Amino acid sequence: MSDRSNRRHRLAAVALATTLLAASACSSDDDGDASPSGGKATTTTSGGSVGTPEERTCDQGATGDLGGAEAVAGSASDWTITSFDGTEIRAHWFPTDAEPAGRETGDDEAGDDETATTEAGDGAGPDGAPTILMGPGWSLAGDTSLEEGSVLFGALNIPAMLAHGYNVLTWDPRGFGESTGVASVNDPDLEGRDVQVLLDWVAEQPEARTDADGDPRVGMVGVSYGGGIQLTTAAIDCRVDALVPNIAWHSLETSLFKARTVKQGWASVLTTTASGGQLDPHITSASASGTATGTLSEEDEAWFADRGPGDLVADIDVPTLFVHGTVDTLFTLDEAITNHQILLDNDVATAMIWYCGGHGVCLTDPGDPSRLSAAAFAWLDRYVADVASAPEVAAFETLDQDGTTWTADRYPTEADETLEASGSGELALEASSAAGPVEVPVGTGDVLAGLVEPITPGPADESIEVGIDPGELDGLALGAPTVSLTYTGTIGDGDRPVRAFAQLVDDELGVVVGNQITPFALELDGEEHTVEVELEVISQRVAPGRTLTLQLVATTPAYALPRLGGTVSFESIEVTVPVVTEGLTEVPTEQGGEEAVVG
């Protein structure tokens, strides 16, 4: 590897560490109705907001796996906690001395002011305060910073949570920081059980509010790796009362191996940034295989699929606020949508909020990022701290490329219009037909820009293009566009998979919509074939004069290099973009203005 490449990888590791640092049912109601096993039974108001909590029960108690805990000499916050299998987990404990904001239920004025405090009620003073567990990003140790300042991805920081009346526990996941063991990507049988032991420990602390012996009043927050562990933990332990997973995932198979295509750009970054940790060999094996052949071994693929949370999400029945990024190219919006839909189908209180950020770079107007932390605290106050007057959180909130925020009664919102376009063309499967890497404008201000620039799709110079003109239509393109392709082609023999890629370009701004590109398989045997491709989900304002262009390309640095050298003739290209013109409400900016409803 060249000195330049080594330097780029070192910078990538530093950048990722810097940015991510910000960042089964247990019982039923007495009357026999199903009750959430780790939190509050909830209702949804007619206005599309997630409503008030009711009492819950959890008869689990401590797991009994707490092997011991010792304070770390010379540290006011650090503990070494022995997990179920002897792995030593380094934990960081920060008890609050603040009264919970708006603690008196029914105190509407206090609830409207996030900084308001009242006299101590249940959960404060001698009864203890509720606790928030915050897991770190991939490869990182738990956050210990008590410095005030800006946070990334709308994450919450320790000082803010302490001031809000919550104890805070962070930790170094196994394999990272000062913890022993081997990182296994939030395996429920390893990292999941580690967090269960941490819950046992919190329940023993005199500063912690408990609902029963061994059952602390607990919420969880965290970004990326710290988001995924929330889903894993709540699926196996009913003592967690509410979740706020930020840019987490549903399946490592659908996110990292979409359309059986290795997401090699991110795989290389994640492996490099974790090189100082103790990793399960499947992690490094998969990254090496993706680079060398563009494929995964059956064993590696199965290993990642087993990490979940996947089907375990169906076992989560605590209030969950999903926070996700429209430009996240590692865990795309579909990952959060899938998790959210599972909870909706199971009548679990859930909401979802999207922002321009995440594992990616925001190349459009980011809008108001403070709405994320405000929503997170409102969620925690309502479902962990039992503040009945906490602000309600919209069931669904998104934003467009102009930074405008929109809310709806739920996601998915029904598309009442569509944009349609068609075309044809011949695509040479050559390296010159590449989507990206993008060039991030100087001064963008996104701290992830230098890291993701080499692996982010941009408009291609050589591609098949189909123009999409909204005409007089004005609305929000919301959901997954589809492309139907009829094609023939040939290609030489090789071991790499045969793929092409589709993306939408915002013609006005000159950027790929959401930075999203979608791989799809081709069968190039000289015969005619038809395939329908569901593109990545987008949130894009369309209006007269604001056109889009569909591009089909041969390759992109976001994914492993496919087999090249052939030619594809697309006899028919039909693209359909779902558009919502009714049922979305524009959120006024801080500068004022009247609410407006699309349509």
Side-chain angles (χ1 to χ4, degrees):
M1 182 181 291
S2 68
D3 290 342
R4 182 178 180 183
S5 295
N6 274 316
R7 180 174 180 273
R8 185 173 68 246
H9 281 92
R10 288 196 299 271
L11 289 174
V14 171
L16 186 63
T18 301
T19 55
L20 295 187
L21 186 56
S24 63
C26 294
S27 62
S28 62
D29 287 345
D30 292 339
D31 61 6
D33 293 335
S35 173
S37 64
K40 309 289 185 281
T42 59
T43 60
T44 300
T45 68
S46 59
S49 300
V50 181
T52 57
E54 300 171 4
E55 288 304 315
R56 63 87 168 176
T57 56
C58 172
D59 60 9
Q60 176 177 302
T63 66
D65 289 330
L66 181 58
E70 295 184 2
V72 176
S75 173
S77 61
D78 287 8
W79 290 76
T80 297
I81 299 175
T82 303
S83 193
F84 70 97
D85 60 352
T87 298
E88 294 183 349
I89 302 298
R90 178 62 57 88
H92 317 284
W93 176 241
F94 303 93
T96 184
D97 57 6
E99 302 292 356
R103 169 63 63 193
E104 292 292 341
T105 59
D107 184 351
D108 291 336
E109 291 185 4
D112 291 339
D113 182 357
E114 286 192 349
T115 63
T117 58
T118 66
E119 295 181 0
D122 56 352
D127 294 326
T131 300
I132 302 300
L133 270 62
M134 181 170 69
W138 170 251
S139 82
L140 299 177
D143 189 7
T144 59
S145 175
L146 295 176
E147 297 284 334
E148 292 282 359
S150 61
V151 294
L152 304 168
F153 310 135
L156 304 181
N157 59 29
I158 295 171
M161 288 186 282
L162 293 176
H164 218 78
Y166 293 101
N167 304 319
V168 180
L169 181 74
T170 68
W171 71 98
D172 304 1
R174 62 170 59 210
F176 299 125
E178 297 299 320
S179 291
T180 62
V182 174
S184 188
V185 197
N186 289 341
D187 186 338
D189 294 327
L190 296 172
E191 285 90 347
R193 291 184 66 183
D194 291 341
V195 178
Q196 289 188 291
V197 172
L198 295 179
L199 292 172
D200 290 352
W201 185 84
V202 170
E204 296 180 351
Q205 305 315 301
E207 303 94 341
R209 177 181 177 182
T210 58
D211 294 319
D213 287 345
D215 180 6
R217 177 61 62 90
V218 163
M220 294 186 74
V221 301
V223 172
S224 190
Y225 201 56
I229 192 60
Q230 298 178 51
L231 303 174
T232 296
T233 302
I236 64 175
D237 198 305
C238 68
R239 293 175 293 170
V240 179
D241 294 282
L243 309 177
V244 186
N246 192 327
I247 54 175
W249 66 92
H250 174 72
S251 164
L252 293 175
E253 186 167 32
T254 57
S255 60
L256 300 181
F257 197 41
K258 191 177 294 289
R260 304 193 61 76
T261 311
V262 177
K263 195 171 285 184
Q264 190 57 35
W266 272 110
S268 297
V269 168
L270 294 173
T271 304
T272 300
T273 55
S275 59
Q278 299 297 315
L279 306 182
D280 187 286
H282 288 286
I283 298 171
T284 51
S285 170
S287 180
S289 174
T291 299
T293 67
T295 61
L296 297 181
S297 69
E298 290 185 3
E299 182 180 350
D300 284 344
E301 182 182 353
W303 187 87
F304 277 97
D306 286 345
R307 300 309 96 181
D311 292 342
L312 281 177
V313 175
D315 294 328
I316 297 173
D317 49 11
V318 298
T320 302
L321 171 62
F322 293 99
V323 183
H324 218 84
T326 58
V327 298
D328 196 309
T329 56
L330 174 60
F331 304 134
T332 57
L333 286 169
D334 189 60
E335 297 296 313
I337 291 169
T338 300
N339 289 331
H340 177 64
Q341 188 63 54
I342 291 171
L343 297 195
L344 281 178
D345 291 344
N346 291 341
D347 294 324
V348 178
T350 183
M352 186 164 58
I353 181 171
W354 295 353
Y355 64 104
C356 188
H359 302 97
V361 57
C362 183
L363 299 175
T364 57
D365 190 332
D368 178 16
S370 68
R371 63 193 179 92
L372 304 181
S373 57
F377 270 129
W379 195 264
L380 296 170
D381 288 349
R382 181 170 294 267
Y383 295 114
V384 179
D386 285 344
V387 179
S389 56
E392 291 186 344
V393 176
F396 173 62
E397 183 176 310
T398 185
L399 84 168
D400 59 28
Q401 71 272 28
D402 302 322
T404 302
T405 299
W406 303 89
T407 62
D409 287 351
R410 63 173 287 152
Y411 186 92
T413 54
E414 184 175 353
D416 50 277
E417 297 284 352
T418 59
L419 283 176
E420 298 181 356
S422 61
S424 61
E426 188 169 274
L427 179 66
L429 300 180
E430 302 291 347
S432 57
S433 175
V438 72
E439 292 186 10
V440 177
V442 175
T444 297
D446 195 318
V447 291
L448 269 183
L451 174 71
V452 303
E453 186 176 49
I455 63 173
T456 299
D461 293 329
E462 298 182 24
S463 66
I464 295 177
E465 296 189 347
V466 177
I468 307 169
D469 189 341
E472 297 302 312
L473 186 60
D474 189 344
L476 197 67
L478 185 64
T482 58
V483 181
S484 180
L485 304 164
T486 299
Y487 67 91
T488 58
T490 59
I491 195 169
D493 293 337
D495 295 329
R496 288 183 173 272
V498 181
R499 298 288 187 270
F501 303 84
Q503 62 183 15
L504 292 173
V505 175
D506 182 324
D507 296 327
E508 179 183 29
L509 300 178
V511 299
V512 173
V513 176
N515 301 341
Q516 302 296 341
I517 190 166
T518 305
F520 58 94
L522 292 170
E523 189 172 354
L524 301 184
D525 56 4
E527 301 295 325
E528 183 176 277
H529 299 277
T530 297
V531 62
E532 184 164 295
V533 181
E534 185 174 276
L535 304 188
E536 297 287 4
V537 172
I538 61 172
S539 179
Q540 172 88 2
R541 184 70 180 267
V542 293
R546 307 187 75 170
T547 60
L548 301 172
T549 297
L550 171 72
Q551 289 190 331
L552 303 182
V553 298
T555 185
T556 173
Y559 283 88
L561 186 69
R563 196 187 317 174
L564 298 177
T567 301
V568 190
S569 178
F570 291 96
E571 287 86 11
S572 173
I573 304 170
E574 304 287 340
V575 56
T576 303
V577 181
V579 178
V580 178
T581 65
E582 297 180 356
L584 287 170
T585 302
E586 180 180 352
V587 178
T589 64
E590 291 183 358
Q591 287 73 30
E594 299 296 326
E595 278 196 351
V597 178
V598 172

